[in-house]
């Protein structure tokens, strides 16, 4: 496991070159392999794998995930996180900063819905919010006009 301090330091360095979203993409890829392995090896239903995943994130200290909406038909996952570790460690920011956990939610939604999903952070504690909030769904469902959304998807 990579220490949180290292991850946040790396993120801030990558922000200087505009490549910080690589943390999200790597987390999404790693998370997908983990979720898929749990699903295939233990024969656990995708919904249960997702629940396990967020419990493990919580136990590992990444924050407490609260499911706001899990729409299997509409292929949309909405969660909020209380005490998000990455936002706390990062400090004050003018943009969402929870790249690692955002990648985990994207990979969980990908397994849950059976198609490639991405995740954006719509509210962040590093921006002064009480909770960090996320939406994961297929990429074509995100509006690409908003620069804050585009920044998170590229």
């Amino acid at each position: 496991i990579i220490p949180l301090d290292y991850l946040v330091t790396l993120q801030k360095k990558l922000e200087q070159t505009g490549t910080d979203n690589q943390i999200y993409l790597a987390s999404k890829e790693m998370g997908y392999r983990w979720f898929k392995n749990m699903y295939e090896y233990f024969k656990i239903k995708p919904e249960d794998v997702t629940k396990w995943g967020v419990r493990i994130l919580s136990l590992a200290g990444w924050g407490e995930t609260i499911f706001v909406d899990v729409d299997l038909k509409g292929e949309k996952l909405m969660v909020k996180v209380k005490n998000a570790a990455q936002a706390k460690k990062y400090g004050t920011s003018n943009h969402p900063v929870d790249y690692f956990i955002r990648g985990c939610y994207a990979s969980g939604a990908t397994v849950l819905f059976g198609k490639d999903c991405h995740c954006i952070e719509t509210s962040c504690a590093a921006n002064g919010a009480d909770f960090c909030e996320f939406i994961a769904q297929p990429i074509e469902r995100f509006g690409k006009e908003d620069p804050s959304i585009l920044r998170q998807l590229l």
Side-chain angles (χ1 to χ4, degrees):
I1 300 247
I2 296 174
L4 181 59
D5 188 46
Y6 172 83
L7 182 65
V8 169
T9 301
L10 176 62
Q11 178 177 339
K12 288 180 177 183
K13 293 288 185 189
L14 291 173
E15 284 176 359
Q16 295 171 4
T17 61
T19 57
D20 45 313
N21 211 38
Q22 292 301 311
I23 293 172
Y24 161 72
L25 295 171
S27 173
K28 180 182 176 214
E29 184 178 319
M30 173 273 319
Y32 178 74
R33 286 193 306 261
W34 183 87
F35 280 112
K36 191 168 170 29
N37 183 54
M38 292 292 288
Y39 171 68
E40 291 176 352
Y41 184 78
F42 292 107
K43 308 296 184 224
I44 300 171
K45 295 185 292 187
E47 307 87 60
D48 293 335
V49 171
T50 306
K51 289 176 188 172
W52 272 56
V54 297
R55 286 184 189 134
I56 289 170
L57 285 172
S58 179
L59 286 171
W62 288 97
E64 178 190 344
T65 298
I66 301 159
F67 286 97
V68 175
D69 187 28
V70 181
D71 184 352
L72 295 175
K73 259 187 179 174
E75 298 171 330
K76 187 174 187 178
L77 172 67
M78 295 175 67
V79 298
K80 62 183 182 179
V81 178
K82 184 178 176 183
N83 299 318
Q86 195 167 356
K88 281 184 172 182
K89 186 67 177 176
Y90 189 98
T92 303
S93 175
N94 63 356
H95 63 276
V97 300
D98 296 282
Y99 292 34
F100 176 79
I101 202 165
R102 186 165 56 92
C104 293
Y105 295 132
S107 60
T110 295
V111 170
L112 187 61
F113 303 137
K115 63 169 59 169
D116 188 33
C117 290
H118 280 271
C119 183
I120 62 166
E121 186 171 5
T122 58
S123 183
C124 183
N127 307 146
D130 292 332
F131 292 91
C132 295
E133 298 183 52
F134 302 86
I135 297 172
Q137 61 189 2
I139 194 167
E140 63 271 8
R141 300 229 177 112
F142 289 106
K144 310 242 182 7
E145 310 80 37
D146 184 337
S148 67
I149 292 175
L150 271 177
R151 182 178 199 274
Q152 295 183 63
L153 296 176
L154 299 177

